[in-house]
Amino acid sequence: FQTVHHDLWDYDNASPRALVTLTRDGVQTPAVLQATKSGMLFVLNRETGEPVFPVEERPVPPSDIPGEEASPTQPFTALTPPLSPHRLVAEDAWGIDDADRAACRKVLEGLRNEGVFTPPSTQGTLVIPSNIGGAHWGGVAVDPERQIAVVPVNRIAAMVQLIPRAEFDRDRFRAEDDRLGHDYEYNMMRGTPYVMRRRMLLGPSGLPCSPPPWGALVAIDLKTGGRLWEVPLGSLTRPLPPELAARIQDGWGSPNLGGPIATAGGVVFIAAALDRWLRAYDIDTGRELWRGPLPESGRATPMGYRLD
């Protein structure tokens, strides 16, 4: 089962699989859950590979790069809604002030943007979710008794551009990046006629161009395939300058990299965000129950253990 065909977006399955036995209409089904950077949660029968909840092959935009044949369709979960948004248009550009909004809108207006799975281009392409997801390397926590899966996700857009190798001058491009305050990642893609560059879409303030929350915890009901709840995850007050951090509001969430665990008592523990907190949530409602300080941002999955 392919979660993405002919991957052009860095949508590798970074999230580890979760194994669970589902009970539907009194019948037990051994299942495997795969959350993806493209913002979907695939639930498959782990004996046959067949989807437990429907999956559709939907048309997606073609590549305009000569010789590149992008897959004409991609798999979408038909019943379970996307965990992260699949579209961002210039009119929806976010900014903490007018200058940020204007700068983000201008960047978005210049990008090829036909929704999720728009292929990379020489013009520059919007990638949403970005190459850090959607779901990321943190993975999924499952409560097997309540039949609930909880997934941490990112909700930040990125851009990717292919530069013809004959036009690429590393020093000139780097100097331009420094002048404009951009932080591009370059990949030489040896053996191809292009150099790839990409970056997260941030405004001049350093905050994302996509609307908050920029990180969230999403719960999926494995009995129905529907979304049970979602809550913002973390806060982006770090590593911002103090004067900007003071303007960050509760509920804006944070980019996150790290997984959750679920206890038999119905509590989900997760750190993962850029701030320095370990949080506990009610798995039935998403209500935050507790938080405890950490010496640093926790970019891994908490460990559960028993004390005598």
Side-chain angles (χ1 to χ4, degrees), residues 148-225:
I148 297 173
V150 179
V151 192
V153 295
N154 288 308
R155 293 178 169 175
I156 298 180
M159 67 85 69
V160 62
Q161 183 178 18
L162 299 179
I163 304 169
R165 189 173 302 279
E167 300 175 10
F168 182 69
D169 181 318
R170 183 189 295 269
D171 293 337
R172 179 173 64 83
F173 275 85
R174 294 283 190 191
E176 181 179 339
D177 295 346
D178 290 342
R179 179 173 59 82
L180 296 176
H182 292 158
D183 187 18
Y184 282 103
E185 170 194 355
Y186 287 88
N187 189 300
M188 297 308 293
M189 300 208 302
R190 289 180 174 85
T192 78
Y194 296 96
V195 172
M196 182 276 287
R197 72 171 178 173
R198 67 182 177 186
R199 68 180 177 95
M200 297 298 161
L201 285 182
L202 308 176
S205 68
L207 295 176
C209 289
S210 48
W214 302 307
L217 201 58
V218 183
I220 299 297
D221 186 339
L222 296 176
K223 297 185 292 293
T224 66

Side-chain angles (χ1 to χ4, degrees), residues 5 19 21 24 40 54 86 186 199 214 235 242 287:
H5 307 317
L19 305 182
T21 299
R24 303 181 68 205
M40 288 180 273
H86 277 175
Y186 287 88
R199 68 180 177 95
W214 302 307
S235 171
R287 181 170 66 92

Side-chain angles (χ1 to χ4, degrees), residues 122-139:
T122 54
Q123 172 186 346
T125 292
L126 176 74
V127 181
I128 184 167
S130 75
N131 50 288
I132 61 168
H136 48 67
W137 67 321

